[in-house]
Amino acid sequence: AVPLRVCHQEIVKFDLEIKAAVQDIRDCPGPLSALTELNAAVKEKFRQLRDRIQELEQMAKEQDKESEKQALLREVENHKKQMLSNQAAWRKANLACKIAIDNSEKDQLLQGRDILRQRKTTKESLAESASNITESLMGISRMMSQQVQQSEETVQTLANSSRTILEANEEFKSMSGTIQLGRKLITKYNRRELTDKLLIFLALALFLATVLYILKKRLFPFL
């Protein structure tokens, strides 16, 4: 026989597992085969729970003390009520799941009809799409032609600008040569001016020396 404490634990465990399985049934998306497997598992849990409740009821009847016997019997009644509540929830979950599966199948059928209807209009849609694509390509071709023309004009403008820049560069080169020649002439003139100043200074110094010498001879002949 199963001990009283273990019997209590298993009853609680089976009750929680049944609640979780009922929630799985309520959330089951289908198909019906999956629902059938879930229901089979729930039936087995209910069988195990019923056996444990019967064992607990038998243990209660075997109690020597009347108080303990009545307490266990009340607990058995509570477990039975909870099991009935779980069975009712199980039936509701099955009903809700079957309705959801039926609705899903109906939606799939409607989608299939929509697909057939779409296939009927595919040729017209393709023809219209081809026409639109052709117009789009013609528009793109015109735009590309305009872009090519604009590119040619831009290249021509750049070529003209390049020639202008080259001509300006040649003028700058000639001006640079003229400036360098002028710089050389100025440097040469400056050098000549310095030489002239030096010659004038030497001539002036020689003249002064000659005057001083003459004055010395006349004024101080004894020196």
Side-chain angles (χ1 to χ4, degrees), residues 150-187:
Q150 291 178 0
S151 299
E152 291 177 353
E153 294 176 356
T154 302
V155 169
Q156 186 63 34
T157 302
L158 290 174
N160 295 333
S161 299
S162 178
R163 284 195 296 271
T164 303
I165 292 172
L166 290 174
E167 292 174 357
N169 189 24
E170 292 296 330
E171 291 180 1
F172 286 145
K173 286 182 179 179
S174 61
M175 290 177 64
S176 176
T178 304
I179 292 171
Q180 290 179 358
L181 179 60
R183 185 182 293 116
K184 289 180 181 179
L185 291 175
I186 292 172
T187 303

Side-chain angles (χ1 to χ4, degrees), residues 2-19:
V2 179
L4 181 61
R5 180 175 58 83
V6 175
C7 186
H8 278 295
Q9 292 177 351
E10 290 187 350
I11 288 174
V12 173
K13 183 189 74 168
F14 290 139
D15 180 70
L16 293 175
E17 289 177 352
I18 288 171
K19 284 183 170 61

Side-chain angles (χ1 to χ4, degrees), residues 12-26 42 45-46 49 82-83 85-86 89 93:
V12 173
K13 183 189 74 168
F14 290 139
D15 180 70
L16 293 175
E17 289 177 352
I18 288 171
K19 284 183 170 61
V22 169
Q23 183 62 41
D24 291 338
I25 289 174
R26 186 177 290 107
V42 173
K45 296 295 181 184
F46 270 116
L49 176 61
Q82 183 61 45
M83 185 175 64
S85 176
N86 288 337

Side-chain angles (χ1 to χ4, degrees), residues 131-146:
S131 177
N132 293 334
I133 291 171
T134 302
E135 292 180 0
S136 299
L137 290 174
M138 291 177 65
I140 292 171
S141 177
R142 288 193 294 270
M143 291 177 61
M144 291 179 66
S145 177
Q146 293 176 358

